[in-house]
Amino acid sequence: MKMMALKLNPPTAHAFSSKDDRKCSTVRNLCIRASVASSAPPQSLQVAENKAHNKSDKFRIGVLGASGYTGSEIVRLLANHPHFKITLMTADRKAGQPIGSVFPHLVTQDLPDMVAVKDADFSSVDAVFCCLPHGTTQEIIKGLPISLKVVDLSADFRLRDIGEYEEWYGQPHQAPELQKNAIYGLTEIARKEIQVARLVANPGCYPTSIQLPLIPLLKAGLIEVKNIIIDAKSGVSGAGRGAKEANLYTEVAEGVHSYGITRHRHVPEIEQGLSDASNSKVTVSFTPHLMPMSRGMQSTMYVEMAPGVSTMDLYQHLKSFYEDEEFVILLKKNEVPHTRHVRGSNYCLLNVFPDRIPGRAIIVSVIDNLVKGASGQALQNLNLMMGIPENTGLLYQPLFP
């Protein structure tokens, strides 16, 4: 593929070609690949082109649940977005307050005060990020104007089987008709479906870090569907901003806390994606752990390779599958992914290692749970839905040290 300079100009018809722009990093000797939306729906293209003709005209964005961690990350990521402007923010318990009073690190942002959801004027927005708690989103999204594009960061539309949703989340699904049209938004896997979607269910953090490496391998038949063991670790921000005794400093500091053993709510989401990839029922052994750090996630996966397959085969397939992707990076052989190398960014770093047990391999994947595991992937998805390059507003490099 030819190397070209990376451009992030306002969207035009040329910006939506199927070619990938590339910009070489002299620091890391890596190619930063800027995947752009291809085959965008005509209506989205026309809207984007109309916006481009008037450079001061931006898509109007609503953030529902702006007082939570994922909501604040959306605000941070949109601060320098050339085509999105926040015109509505909701936070029932913080209604009437500016974002700077809730998140002082965002005090420089010129944004509208937060309002209660019931007082929100949705005629002032073109699309919304829904960052509300699980179980509250279905009714709200059901009541939104049909013209709005929606990316939902809760779990309310991730499971296609509404009976399974009720089993794992303890309440009946409140919008089964909407569920039929919701697209599961694992961007690198479902790009074409996301482009034409009205409602995208943004994946969970653990499922993102797990499915990105495993789905390509299962699709190719390189690993067995049985005996998949996943050991995953997350920063405390993954538990949300609500006051909980288990998340107090003295409860989580200087230790590792296993939780949700065999019953974590991300299990059916993970199994749904892996089962789709393999065209057979997949059951995984998944144990998450809370780590004494603010953000970051590592998933270590132990898999059984198909007969005759080697770890080099797994490595080469992942290399080929993600070769032209912007945000999924397969490291050089023997390099170990670390959470500190993705902090604050939308990148997923991964690698494959041979297990001491013959016929098995170890796969390590790291993401920032609040960015690629939540708000960053949500922005990646809305970029696609609105017909603009999907990396727009997401080229923040990891924060280190």
Side-chain angles (χ1 to χ4, degrees):
M1 182 177 290
K2 293 182 179 179
M3 305 297 290
M4 299 182 288
L6 178 66
K7 296 181 180 180
L8 291 178
N9 294 326
T12 63
H14 174 72
F16 307 104
S17 68
S18 61
K19 296 180 180 179
D20 288 344
D21 291 337
R22 288 193 176 188
K23 179 180 180 182
C24 282
S25 166
T26 58
V27 178
R28 296 172 58 200
N29 195 29
L30 288 173
C31 284
I32 300 175
R33 293 169 288 278
S35 302
V36 298
S38 60
S39 305
Q43 185 177 6
S44 294
L45 260 177
Q46 187 61 53
V47 172
E49 289 173 348
N50 290 341
K51 296 274 184 183
H53 292 158
N54 182 358
K55 293 183 180 180
S56 64
D57 196 7
K58 297 184 177 183
F59 291 109
R60 302 165 301 169
I61 304 299
V63 182
L64 311 187
S67 62
Y69 289 139
T70 57
S72 72
E73 279 294 279
I74 291 289
V75 175
R76 180 180 73 87
L77 294 172
L78 292 187
N80 296 310
H81 198 291
H83 309 302
F84 290 167
K85 177 180 176 60
I86 296 174
T87 57
L88 171 69
M89 296 192 298
T90 76
D92 286 1
R93 288 179 293 178
K94 306 291 184 180
Q97 298 184 35
I99 191 70
S101 69
V102 180
F103 290 107
H105 71 292
L106 298 172
V107 70
T108 60
Q109 300 303 299
D110 182 17
L111 296 169
D113 289 348
M114 292 176 285
V115 300
V117 172
K118 64 180 180 61
D119 298 324
D121 178 10
F122 290 105
S123 67
S124 67
V125 296
D126 301 303
V128 298
F129 292 102
C130 195
C131 307
L132 297 168
H134 310 312
T136 64
T137 300
Q138 292 159 358
E139 286 283 4
I140 290 172
I141 292 180
K142 187 166 62 173
L144 294 178
I146 193 68
S147 60
L148 293 186
K149 300 278 189 175
V150 181
V151 179
D152 178 30
L153 281 77
S154 82
D156 280 10
F157 291 96
R158 293 175 189 162
L159 301 180
R160 291 192 303 270
D161 186 336
I162 60 175
E164 195 167 39
Y165 173 85
E166 181 173 357
E167 175 189 348
W168 286 85
Y169 287 88
Q171 62 185 54
H173 201 291
Q174 301 299 312
E177 291 304 313
L178 272 181
Q179 182 63 63
K180 295 176 183 177
N181 298 317
I183 297 299
Y184 185 73
L186 192 60
T187 317
E188 285 77 13
I189 304 299
R191 188 171 278 119
K192 290 183 179 179
E193 293 83 357
I194 292 165
Q195 286 173 350
V196 297
R198 184 249 167 179
L199 169 60
V200 166
N202 211 60
C205 46
Y206 286 123
T208 294
S209 66
I210 292 163
Q211 292 180 99
L212 283 174
L214 294 190
I215 282 179
L217 300 178
L218 283 167
K219 279 187 174 181
L222 295 175
I223 60 174
E224 301 285 1
V225 299
K226 61 183 180 179
N227 299 328
I228 297 175
I229 301 170
I230 305 163
D231 179 288
K233 300 173 177 65
S234 174
V236 184
S237 59
R241 204 185 189 201
K244 305 180 186 77
E245 180 180 308
N247 296 342
L248 294 173
Y249 177 81
T250 51
E251 302 289 334
V252 299
E254 302 177 26
V256 181
H257 178 67
S258 301
Y259 69 103
I261 299 174
T262 74
R263 291 299 301 174
H264 192 281
R265 289 172 169 178
H266 283 173
V267 167
E269 183 182 341
I270 295 166
E271 293 180 346
Q272 174 181 266
L274 300 187
S275 296
D276 288 348
S278 63
N279 289 316
S280 61
K281 176 63 177 173
V282 175
T283 302
V284 300
S285 178
F286 170 68
T287 304
H289 310 270
L290 202 61
M291 302 298 289
M293 59 186 187
S294 296
R295 60 166 77 203
M297 175 167 287
Q298 174 175 314
S299 291
T300 304
M301 292 147 276
Y302 305 86
V303 299
E304 183 177 328
M305 293 178 286
V309 172
S310 67
T311 53
M312 181 56 66
D313 294 327
L314 304 189
Y315 183 91
Q316 290 297 334
H317 184 72
L318 289 173
K319 181 179 180 180
S320 173
F321 193 90
Y322 287 119
E323 185 174 20
D324 295 323
E325 287 295 344
E326 173 81 26
F327 297 114
V328 182
I329 307 295
L330 180 67
L331 298 182
K332 294 178 181 178
K333 296 172 188 174
N334 300 319
E335 288 187 358
V336 181
H338 296 292
T339 58
R340 63 180 177 272
H341 296 154
V342 294
R343 181 181 174 89
S345 78
N346 197 51
Y347 295 103
C348 171
L349 305 183
L350 52 91
N351 215 339
V352 182
F353 305 90
D355 199 334
R356 292 180 62 247
I357 301 174
R360 294 188 66 85
I362 302 170
I363 303 167
V364 179
S365 166
V366 297
I367 61 173
D368 184 316
N369 58 292
L370 291 178
V371 189
K372 186 58 173 172
S375 304
Q377 185 161 221
L379 177 53
Q380 200 176 346
N381 286 331
L382 190 61
N383 283 338
L384 281 172
M385 295 164 74
M386 304 308 284
I388 63 177
E390 71 182 64
N391 63 0
T392 307
L394 287 169
L395 293 179
Y396 293 94
Q397 291 303 291
L399 182 62
F400 180 85

